[in-house]
Amino acid sequence: MRRLLTSSLLGLATTLSALPAAAQGFAAYISPPRFELQPVPGETLRQVVEIQHVGREQGNYRVYTNDWVFNADNSVTFSDALAPDSCRPWVAIERRELTIEPGARYRYRFEITPPAGTAPRECRFALMVEGLETAKVEGQLNFPVGGRIGVIVYAAIGGAAPQLEIVTTRMAAVNGQPTALIDVRNTGNAHGRVEGFVNGTDASGQRFELAPADLPILPGETRALSLAPVVQDGRPVPTIRFPLQVEGALEWGTNRLPLNTRFAP
């Protein structure tokens, strides 16, 4: 198994190594970084991901699927081994290796075919794109690095859907900073995300909009989401002076999650 940290997690393609422009070897952009599909049992759903090679030399890549686990610390563990409930046997990929010329784009095809009669559930897997050559980062220090990108695929089968609720609001230290957190539980059978904005007023009278972290809440789990000020036009992130009063409602799909609470030490 390989583990890597993500920032906006599973919303963007995640890289094992972030390579500067001077690196040779792995240098690819992937679009889109995430798929949210609704395949029909017994039917094949085909999709295309575009791989752009931005290196100065020819790029050689390996493509394969992985299962993955979203950990409590918001890191992701990828695994070549099939998970007990893996749906990767339903997935077919175009080819396992490919070569892309400098500056070129490759439209890579994959498909998913849930068996007829599949009960409502969410199929989740990652399409992994990995550089075959070891890249070298050049500068004052030269050292080899490896790179790969994981494109996350969610496939809601048979009307699978999330069911989200806020179960706790609290304060906790995140990266050494006091942070407003909401614990969101998902009792549905597909992942969900909390979106929207609420209004906050801190102890100094400072007012601002707050938004939840863009993290998926997987079926059967409760995940802590931080509330952070919305910053625009390159302005610095304001410092919240607790206690913090929050009013408004967040959203998931067409549903509302009222949030009127006070975050205090």
Side-chain angles (χ1 to χ4, degrees):
M1 293 186 180
R2 297 182 182 179
R3 191 179 192 185
L4 60 99
L5 297 175
T6 76
S7 52
S8 100
L9 183 107
L10 306 183
L12 297 177
T14 53
T15 58
L16 188 64
S17 300
L19 306 183
Q24 296 298 314
F26 183 85
Y29 290 116
I30 306 288
S31 179
R34 181 177 74 205
F35 287 85
E36 298 194 3
L37 310 174
Q38 294 181 324
V40 176
E43 299 182 10
T44 296
L45 179 62
R46 296 179 176 87
Q47 295 292 308
V48 173
V49 60
E50 186 173 86
I51 305 170
Q52 180 184 7
H53 178 61
V54 296
R56 295 191 296 268
E57 300 175 359
Q58 191 179 70
N60 297 300
Y61 296 95
R62 182 169 75 97
V63 184
Y64 54 98
T65 62
N66 264 188
D67 283 305
W68 55 271
V69 175
F70 191 23
N71 302 305
D73 63 359
N74 299 335
S75 66
V76 184
T77 300
F78 292 103
S79 175
D80 292 323
L82 287 177
D85 62 345
S86 178
C87 62
R88 285 162 55 201
W90 307 346
V91 179
I93 59 177
E94 175 184 340
R95 55 192 301 184
R96 296 192 176 277
E97 294 187 2
L98 66 152
T99 298
I100 308 177
E101 297 298 322
R105 301 171 186 264
Y106 188 93
R107 290 175 58 80
Y108 187 91
R109 296 167 295 179
F110 70 95
E111 59 188 39
I112 177 172
T113 309
T118 298
R121 61 162 291 187
E122 182 174 72
C123 166
R124 297 185 297 272
F125 64 94
L127 185 69
M128 311 300 295
V129 181
E130 182 174 5
L132 290 178
E133 297 95 352
T134 299
K136 177 179 287 188
V137 177
E138 298 177 355
Q140 293 182 343
L141 296 175
N142 295 333
F143 56 94
V145 296
R148 64 175 183 167
I149 295 177
V151 178
I152 302 300
V153 181
Y154 301 93
I157 300 165
Q163 183 66 44
L164 305 184
E165 61 177 326
I166 298 174
V167 294
T168 311
T169 60
R170 57 191 173 93
M171 275 187 60
V174 177
N175 297 325
Q177 298 296 321
T179 304
L181 298 176
I182 57 174
D183 294 319
V184 181
R185 180 165 58 203
N186 184 357
T187 57
N189 55 6
H191 84 288
R193 293 174 188 269
V194 176
E195 301 174 327
F197 305 95
V198 289
N199 297 314
T201 305
D202 73 0
S204 69
Q206 184 179 206
R207 297 183 179 182
F208 31 67
E209 281 189 319
L210 300 159
D214 181 26
L215 298 175
I217 302 97
L218 302 185
E221 78 170 16
T222 299
R223 186 161 297 275
L225 305 180
S226 61
L227 289 175
V230 177
V231 180
Q232 298 178 346
D233 303 325
R235 297 177 183 176
V237 178
T239 299
I240 298 176
R241 294 174 174 82
F242 289 90
L244 171 70
Q245 182 66 38
V246 172
E247 298 179 355
L250 298 171
E251 303 170 350
W252 60 274
T254 59
N255 302 276
R256 289 168 58 83
L257 294 172
L259 184 62
N260 297 286
T261 190
R262 185 172 183 264
F263 294 89

